[in-house]
Every structure is written in C-alpha cells, then in structure tokens.
C-alpha cells in the first residue's frame, strides 16, 4: 500500500512506496507530526488560513478528477458528486475561513463571588496530532470535511481514507501531497493492517466514520491511551408518513434522500418507512409513479443511480431480499445485474419486523414499508430499536410534530423532508447511542478538534482571609453566607451578627 510517509529521508521515493506501512512507520510518522505541532507552526491564524485556502483551491482546481474518481469507485452521478461532495466541501471551507477569527477568539465568561475580583475566559486550543479514518460512500466529503475542522482548530493531521473507494483514496493522497503542507498534514492509504498500525499509536483525537463494529475496535484502541474519539456511525433511519399531506412532494423528497443519495448507500438515507395501513397503498402508488419519472422503466440502465460499491455489499443486499420472510413483499423493483453491481430501487410492503431487512442497516436501494393502525404507534416502533442517526416525519399535524421532536431520540430530525439537516452548518451532525459519539460541521468541527481551556485571571487584590487557617467560627459563618449568596447574610457574617 502506498503512503506519503517521508520519515526515512535516506530512502528513495520508490523504496518508500514499497515499504509496508507497519507500526514502526506509523510511530515515525506520528513522531514527525508531533515535532511539527510542538514547533507551534499550526497554532497561528496564518497557517490555518493558508491550509484552508489550499484545500478550497484543491477542490476548485480538481473538480473533474474528483468526479471521475467517484465515477470509478461507485458510478456516482456527477451531479451528486458536485452537490454532495464538492459543493459541501467548498461551503465548509468558506464557513471556516469566514468564521475562524471569531472561533479562535477567547470567549469571555462571567465569574462568581467566590473568586471576586477576577475575570475568566475559555480559550480554544488545538489538541495536537489527530487521526481521521473515513468511509467509502462519500469518500471525498467524509475525509476532507473533518480535515477542515482539524486544520481550523490548529492540529496536525493524518487522514486514512477508505480502501473500498481506491480511486478516490489515491487521488486524495496525491492531491493533499501536492496542495497541502506535508510537514503537518499527511495521508496514509490502506486497509485493516495499515489502520491497525495507526491505531496502535497515541493520538490526541481519533475521528472515525464507518460502521459500529469497527467503531468498537477504534474505541478500544483509543482507550489504551485515553484518547478521545468522535464516532460517526449509522443505523436504521426511519421516515414516518402521515396521510393528510402533499404526497407528491413528500414522495419526491423521500426518493431524494434514498436513491438520489448514492442509491441508498448513505448514512442518513431513509432506511424504512412507517405509515398507516389505510395510507400505504397510496404511498406505494406515489413512489412507483415518481421513481418511474426519475429513473425510467429500466432503472438498471439509468446513469442517475450509483452502483453497489462492491460484490460483498451486493451479496449482503441480495441476502436481505432472499430472506424467506420477505418473499412476496416486493411491490416495486427487485431487479439486479450482478455483472454491473446494479440493484434497482426496490420497495417492499408490510415486511415482518423480525425479517433480516429490518434487523440491520440496509445501506442500499431497498426500502421496506411497515404499517401501523395509528401513526402514533410508529414512535414506539422507532424507540424500541437502537437510536438512529436521523429520523424523518411528513405531516401537517402540529401535535404529531411536537410528539415526534419530544419523544424520538436520534442524531438529527427533519420534519417534512429528508437528509437536508446535513447541509445546515449551524446544526451539529452526529449520532447518539449506537449511531455515534460526538458531532461536527461548522463551528462544531472546530470544537470537536479543540480543547476548551478554562482560564481564570486574578490580581493580588482581594486576598480574602476566609480561605486560610486558622479556621474560625466567624470564617465558617462567612463561608456559609458566601455559599448562600445573600448579601445580607454576608454583611451579618462580616460583623458577627447572628
Ligand atoms: P468502510 O468499509 O470504508 O470502513 C470505514 C473505515 O474503517 C475504513 O477506513 C476502513 O479501512 C476502516 N476499517 C475497516 N475495518 C477495520 C478494522 N478491522 N480495523 C480498523 N479499521 C478498519 O466503511 P463502512 O464501515 O462500510 O461504512 C458504512 C457505515 O458507515 C454505515 O454504517 C454507515 O451508516 C456509516 N456511515 C456513517 C456516516 C456518518 O457521517 N455518520 C457517513 C458514512 C457512513
């Protein structure tokens, strides 16, 4: 596997390419980055801005290469690459560049009577050397969006892209090598062995995007060094659909979040729908109509649908469809072409809750619909499972909206649309429970890679004897009055009045 490691200055680039990236190489890399961090280079506003600008320029200059790499890796339609990877990255750079000065400015905070006279502030300081491990489905965005936060916060960074998207991984290694300050920002390509070598090292933060199984490996490795983690995971994100709504708009928005996002291979795509038994046939009809409008009569031929990323994931999705418990439940789609790794948009109605498709995150173009007698029952269905990364509801009913927001615990909620909360940089993006730990985007990215240092300033004035021995009854009374907070109590204590 190739790395951009330059820690053996005496070896030629070719020798370097051929070296296995093992724990020793990982340790050398971390040492170099720790030295760079200790030099103070990354702390200054100027360095952070220069690197954010370099990243924005990289994305601008290399748009076509990025589109092509994602085309190779997953047949991602160019429009989706431009909208969800390129535009979102550019926006993250723009927000960070615009707000950085403000984010870096210490935040003045109030102090208490106990420290009078004093002033206090919260200083955001970089953590040090951070590791970012990313996933294959939005490989550009999921790699570089956290890198933006890490740079903005003033850290040195190692990025480990996903080997499942090899064209994008090698493009990022090349481009970050060309555009960024390589004494502080590095890419290590590779799979389990290389990631394991990295995970053996001591980091100041590990930011992982991917599945819950590997997240446990990451967290166990981090625990050995007491390293904090952000875990951006997935889950079964539900969409609840009421009856008295604009069904055409709702259906189009469900399709946009499901099949227009990497053919369902997105962490916040609707995983399943819940609607009432009475409304289900209308919803199925609307889905059929809109899907045919978008993808034609033969969706396997559509250029507007990503393919399944590889044969393992194709086999996994096929197994979900072949489960006896869902035989006869397909009401739309179900076509597959293994040679092209394509699966058409597929809708299943009334699948049993103990079927395979309802027991794991689907992460593909299959959409089961569960039915209930009353829509309120859907809240118990959702809350009976692990907390999802996102949850959606389509309704005009104010009470139902309030109940949804009040009772559903998920990483994020959207009312009357899907996935769009991701694009709002003032909202934190992250999971809860099984769907993740921590969050990022906008200022939350800066915060994720910063330590909030508490700083209290005092002068030599106001040196209250109450805190020093000998501890007398008067001092105890004064202390109690100070804790009580009442000014009269304090005056009484000072003058010894009971
Ligand atoms: P993946 O296969 O690309 O794996 C993610 C990373 O883990 C890769 O860099 C990979 O090299 C590394 N890895 C794999 N096995 C490892 C091991 N044994 N030890 C150490 N590292 C290892 O991606 P994936 O996990 O298939 O991604 C899909 C999952 O990620 C879904 O659950 C999805 O919901 C979730 N996801 C979440 C977000 C989010 O922002 N919350 C975004 C995308 C995907």
């Amino acid at each position: 596997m190739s790395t951009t490691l330059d820690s053996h200055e005496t070896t030629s680039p070719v020798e370097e390419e051929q070296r296995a990236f093992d724990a020793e190489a990982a340790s050398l890399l971390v040492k170099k980055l720790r030295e760079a961090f200790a030099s103070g280079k990354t702390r200054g506003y100027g360095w952070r801005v220069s690197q954010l600008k370099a990243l924005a320029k990289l994305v601008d200059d290399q748009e076509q290469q990025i589109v092509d790499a994602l085309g190779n890796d997953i047949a991602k339609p160019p429009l989706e690459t431009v909208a969800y990877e390129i535009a979102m990255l550019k926006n993250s750079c723009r927000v960070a560049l615009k707000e950085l000065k403000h984010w870096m400015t210490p935040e003045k905070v109030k102090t208490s009577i106990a420290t009078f006279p004093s002033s206090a502030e919260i200083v955001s300081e970089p953590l040090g050397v951070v590791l970012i491990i990313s996933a294959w489905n939005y490989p550009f965005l999921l790699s570089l969006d956290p890198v933006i936060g890490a740079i903005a916060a003033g850290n040195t960074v190692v990025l480990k892209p996903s080997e499942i998207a090899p064209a994008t991984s090698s493009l990022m290694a090349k481009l970050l090598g060309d555009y960024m300050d390589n004494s502080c920002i590095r890419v290590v390509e590779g799979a389990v062995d290389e990631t394991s070598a990295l995970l053996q090292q001591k980091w100041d933060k590990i930011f992982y995007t991917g599945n819950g199984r590997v997240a446990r490996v990451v967290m166990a490795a981090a625990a050995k060094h007491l390293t904090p983690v952000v875990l951006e995971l997935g889950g079964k994100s539900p969409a609840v659909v009421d009856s008295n709504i604009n069904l055409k708009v709702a259906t189009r928005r469900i399709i946009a979040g499901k099949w227009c996002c990497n053919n369902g291979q997105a962490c916040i795509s609707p995983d399943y729908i819940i609607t009432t038994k009475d409304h289900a046939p209308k919803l199925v009809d609307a889905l059929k109509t809109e899907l045919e409008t978008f993808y034609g009569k033969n969706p396997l031929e559509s250029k507007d649908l990503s393919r399944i990323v590889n044969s393992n994931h194709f086999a996994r999705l096929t197994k979900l469809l072949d489960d006896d418990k869902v035989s006869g439940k397909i009401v739309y789609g179900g076509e597959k072409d293994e040679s092209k790794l394509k699966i058409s948009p597929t809708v299943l109605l009334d699948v049993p809750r103990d079927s395979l498709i309802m027991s794991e995150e689907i992460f593909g173009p299959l959409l089961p619909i569960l039915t209930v007698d009353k829509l309120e029952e859907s809240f118990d269905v959702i809350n009976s499972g692990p907390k999802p990364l996102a949850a959606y509801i389509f309704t005009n009913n104010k009470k139902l909206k309030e109940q949804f927001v009040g009772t559903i615990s998920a990483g994020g909620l959207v009312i009357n649309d899907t996935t769009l909360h991701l694009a709002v940089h003032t909202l934190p993006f992250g999971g809860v429970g099984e769907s993740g730990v921590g969050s990022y985007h906008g200022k939350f990215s800066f915060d994720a890679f910063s330590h909030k240092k508490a700083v209290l300033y005092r002068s030599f004035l106001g040196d209250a004897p109450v805190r020093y021995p000998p501890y007398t009854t008067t001092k105890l009374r004064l202390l109690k009055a100070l804790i009580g907070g009442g000014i009269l109590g304090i005056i009484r204590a000072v003058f010894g009045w009971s």
Side-chain angles (χ1 to χ4, degrees):
M1 285 292 163
S2 78
T3 75
T4 52
L5 183 67
D6 68 359
S7 43
H8 289 254
E9 272 92 3
T10 49
T11 56
S12 72
V14 174
E15 282 169 325
E16 194 122 291
E17 280 294 297
Q18 288 163 349
R19 276 188 74 230
F21 187 84
D22 54 13
E24 192 195 336
S27 161
L28 276 167
L29 175 59
V30 175
K31 187 167 169 279
K32 285 255 163 195
L33 292 179
R34 218 165 264 299
E35 283 164 10
F37 180 71
S39 76
K41 188 180 190 184
T42 60
R43 286 181 180 258
Y45 177 73
W47 183 86
R48 303 185 199 195
V49 165
S50 74
Q51 294 309 299
L52 290 170
K53 283 187 174 162
L55 196 52
K57 179 165 167 42
L58 176 164
V59 180
D60 246 346
D61 290 353
Q62 305 294 334
E63 183 166 318
Q64 192 52 49
Q65 290 215 56
I66 299 167
V67 168
D68 292 345
L70 283 153
N72 281 334
D73 282 332
I74 193 170
K76 199 182 285 237
L79 187 141
E80 286 185 29
T81 298
V82 171
Y84 300 122
E85 309 235 20
I86 291 169
M88 292 217 16
L89 265 180
K90 281 187 183 173
N91 195 46
S92 288
C93 285
R94 191 186 54 77
V95 170
L97 281 164
K98 183 162 170 267
E99 302 291 339
L100 187 59
K101 213 163 224 153
H102 172 57
W103 294 345
M104 286 174 70
T105 305
E107 184 193 340
K108 297 273 176 217
V109 289
K110 283 186 185 164
T111 55
S112 76
I113 182 103
T115 64
F116 181 82
S118 66
S119 65
E121 61 186 11
I122 301 167
V123 174
S124 294
E125 71 172 5
L127 293 169
V129 187
V130 303
L131 173 64
I132 294 169
I133 305 172
S134 81
W136 54 266
N137 60 331
Y138 285 84
F140 225 77
L141 179 72
L142 299 177
S143 297
L144 298 184
D145 214 6
V147 168
I148 291 170
I151 295 171
N155 298 278
T156 58
V157 190
V158 172
L159 166 66
K160 212 299 289 173
S162 174
E163 74 283 11
I164 310 278
T168 315
S169 173
S170 71
L171 180 66
M172 278 190 291
K174 182 185 174 318
L175 295 181
L176 267 69
D178 291 348
Y179 281 78
M180 311 300 290
D181 174 356
N182 295 163
S183 68
C184 301
I185 301 162
R186 305 293 284 270
V187 178
V188 173
E189 288 191 86
V192 176
D193 287 351
E194 291 78 3
T195 316
S196 305
L198 288 167
L199 285 174
Q200 284 172 35
Q201 313 309 314
K202 178 173 168 49
W203 303 91
D204 297 302
K205 186 121 198 186
I206 302 177
F207 187 107
Y208 167 80
T209 303
N211 66 72
R213 184 185 55 78
V214 175
R216 285 164 170 81
V217 174
V218 171
M219 204 164 179
K224 287 203 178 113
H225 301 285
L226 277 185
T227 298
V229 291
V230 170
L231 303 172
E232 289 285 335
L233 314 178
K236 289 187 84 60
S237 299
V240 176
V241 181
D242 200 357
S243 50
N244 206 357
I245 56 169
N246 184 330
L247 189 55
K248 183 177 167 115
V249 171
T251 308
R252 291 163 84 96
R253 291 177 179 179
I254 289 168
I255 296 173
K258 180 80 177 176
W259 294 282
C260 305
C261 282
N262 238 3
N263 206 3
Q265 301 168 105
C267 56
I268 49 170
S269 280
D271 185 275
Y272 65 99
I273 285 180
I274 310 179
T275 193
T276 57
K277 284 188 174 46
D278 293 344
H279 189 56
K282 283 189 199 134
L283 176 61
V284 169
D285 282 348
L287 280 165
K288 285 180 183 172
T289 307
E290 298 304 326
L291 280 167
E292 202 169 307
T293 310
F294 291 171
Y295 300 116
K297 285 202 184 305
N298 188 1
L300 290 183
E301 296 300 320
S302 172
K303 299 237 178 312
D304 295 337
L305 280 169
S306 298
R307 67 164 160 76
I308 306 307
V309 68
N310 60 25
S311 50
N312 289 345
H313 280 275
F314 189 91
R316 180 184 61 78
L317 290 162
T318 301
K319 199 168 147 206
L320 300 185
L321 277 183
D322 289 348
D323 177 13
D324 284 347
K325 291 197 170 126
V326 302
S327 70
K329 303 288 186 189
I330 296 177
V331 290
Y332 184 79
E335 300 90 8
K336 288 176 279 181
D337 182 341
E338 194 167 359
S339 66
K340 291 185 185 151
L341 294 177
K342 287 247 175 182
I343 299 180
S344 67
T346 299
V347 181
L348 301 96
L349 182 59
D350 266 331
V351 296
R353 288 189 47 204
D354 63 351
S355 55
L356 267 183
I357 204 167
M358 283 311 296
S359 56
E360 62 179 70
E361 181 184 359
I362 297 170
F363 217 62
L366 322 176
L367 184 65
I369 300 175
L370 303 186
T371 57
V372 287
D373 291 321
K374 283 193 163 164
L375 213 59
E376 285 78 358
E377 293 167 35
S378 61
F379 298 168
D380 289 339
V381 174
I382 297 168
N383 283 335
S384 67
K387 294 179 179 181
L389 184 58
Y392 309 113
I393 190 166
F394 290 86
T395 184
N396 284 314
N397 182 328
K398 191 166 172 271
K399 201 167 149 229
L400 209 60
K401 286 181 203 172
E402 283 169 7
Q403 264 181 297
F404 188 73
V405 174
T407 58
I408 299 299
S409 183
L413 306 179
V414 184
I415 317 299
N416 291 330
D417 212 320
T418 63
T419 67
L420 285 187
H421 59 308
L422 179 89
V424 181
H425 72 82
T426 46
L427 288 174
F429 184 75
V432 54
E434 289 276 322
S435 56
V437 175
S439 61
Y440 71 133
H441 286 188
K443 168 92 165 28
F444 302 99
S445 295
F446 176 84
D447 290 343
F449 288 103
S450 301
H451 164 59
K452 301 291 168 189
K453 190 160 63 182
V455 183
L456 182 71
Y457 295 93
R458 299 207 70 207
S459 72
F460 294 97
L461 297 174
D463 193 37
V466 66
R467 60 196 282 220
Y468 303 125
Y471 300 138
T472 61
T473 320
T474 310
K475 285 180 181 177
L476 184 61
R477 233 186 279 133
L478 185 59
L479 186 73
K480 284 184 178 173
L482 281 169
I483 294 167
I487 190 73
L488 273 179
I490 295 168
I491 293 169
R492 261 198 228 112
V494 168
F495 291 101
W497 303 332
S498 53

